[in-house]
Amino acid sequence: MANTVIVVIDGFGVGAMPDAGSLRPGDLTADTCGHVLDHARTAFGRPLRLPVLGALGLGLVHPHPDLARRTHLPVAVGRAALGYPGADTFAGHQTMMGADFSRVTVARLADHIDEVTDALTEAGHRAERLEGQPLLMVDGSVLVHDNLEADPGINWNASGRIDEVAFDGPGGILAIARTVRAVAPVARVIAVGGHADGPLAAYVRPGDGGTVGLDTPATGFYRNSGLQVQHLGAPLDHTRQLPEMAARAGIPVTLVGKAADILVCDAATRHPAVETADVLTHTLEAVRAGGDGLVVANVQETDLAGHQQDTGRYGRLLEQVDAGLAALVALLDTPGDRLMVTGDHGNDPTIGHAHHTREYVPVLIHRPGADGVELLPDANSLADVGATAAVSLGLNPEDLAGGTPFHRA
């Protein structure tokens, strides 16, 4: 066993999957990596400086002319399909850690509104459609609705004004969200409470794909203080995911960035962070601390740049990540160490909308002590990343709920 570090560049895709256009036909042209590189040539007057991503083999899975086609590092290089419905950070990370998402579906609230109404009624709530629309007003104060900030049918929300209803406690927003979670087939039900600028009903609008929900940014929730949010994920057997398996085997586990917020492992050391500099610092510190272990780090700001459709910011962040990877490559030099760089979905900032894009993601594995370069076949699921990490940690990948190790990776 040695150090195994998984760095997830959030929203970093390398080209559309075949089903990327099922919701938006234009997404078949999605290519986060290629379009960010193209933009840099125009906006910066130079190629992006990504020597380490190049040395890790990015140019072997993406044909962009600004990426090197050769590497001197001992690497295994390929790409992975997502292996879960839609394109979502929560589902991506859970799948990557070995979860089985086969029972999670993409669904509008409208498709299950009677079932949700019955569950809320049985729990003692009053649930009624708001002006006949396919969303629910619960107890006159909490809206249960489609999440309009993700792709249609990925997540549902339970939203309320905390000056009208408590976030926690009996009858609160979170309790209502938990009742919805018990019958929801989607990846996440999100409880949201905050101070709005007016009645929530005034901010209801239609979304894509026949969804209807709350325009949460317009409410003022994000601008005003006091925002409370809790994500309720689909029921998963976390004991069959990589962090819990590693911890049970006595392997130290460190979760950094968004990974610290969305992955389950009671024994893990957690460093939540959003700024890329902080994520890289915590990751490097975890490796420098010595001792063999598992580190899973999420670089979130690339995803935020994609949502903001800010191609220039995305490019600058990639250069910042590349510099951090240089330090990690220098530290992880013992045979058996592994640095695995990947993504959880795409988020092409040039695509014309602010949603994630369903793209393949790179799988770049630095393997000190190995020989040469291995080109990996396309993986059907991100779960193969977790299975490969399990092998490097001396764990049995068959104990995960999903995933198959890459050969010799």
Side-chain angles (χ1 to χ4, degrees), residues 308-343:
Q308 294 159 352
Q309 301 174 69
D310 189 336
T311 316
R313 182 187 179 205
Y314 200 122
R316 290 189 293 272
L317 287 165
L318 280 181
E319 291 187 328
Q320 186 178 3
V321 170
D322 195 272
L325 291 175
L328 281 171
V329 169
L331 284 172
L332 297 167
D333 59 358
T334 301
D337 282 346
R338 291 292 182 269
L339 171 62
M340 308 176 73
V341 181
T342 187

Side-chain angles (χ1 to χ4, degrees), residues 18 27 33 50-51 72 74 137 140 169-170 172 203 205 213 218 228 235 240 258 263 287 292 297 364 396 403:
D27 281 12
C33 177
L50 305 176
H72 63 281
M137 179 64 78
Y203 302 102
R205 66 170 178 83
Q228 297 185 66
R240 299 188 65 191
K258 203 170 185 179
L263 295 179
V287 176
D292 301 326
L364 314 176
N396 183 357

